[in-house]
Amino acid sequence: MAAWLGEGTGPDPLMVLLVIVLLARFILWSCLGTYIDYRLARRQPRKPKED
């Protein structure tokens, strides 16, 4: 198994960077989607007052 992992040299730095970037994108998109849903829910038109 050690030979499969590069004989203990650790993971490829580019692969680690790719995983970090993808994780950050997923988290940011999730937060942005939740924020947009929150803003749209608050912006529903109010019913006009009936006399």
Side-chain angles (χ1 to χ4, degrees):
M1 182 102 174
W4 184 72
L5 291 174
E7 301 201 11
T9 58
D12 186 16
L14 289 177
M15 191 62 86
V16 172
L17 184 63
L18 177 67
V19 169
I20 291 172
V21 167
L22 290 175
L23 207 64
R25 277 187 62 192
F26 175 74
I27 292 171
L28 287 174
W29 274 110
S30 297
C31 293
L32 185 62
T34 303
Y35 177 72
I36 289 173
D37 289 343
Y38 168 73
R39 292 288 297 204
L40 289 176
R42 281 186 48 195
R43 194 178 285 183
Q44 291 181 355
R46 296 179 179 150
K47 295 179 182 177
K49 292 183 179 179
E50 296 182 14
D51 290 334

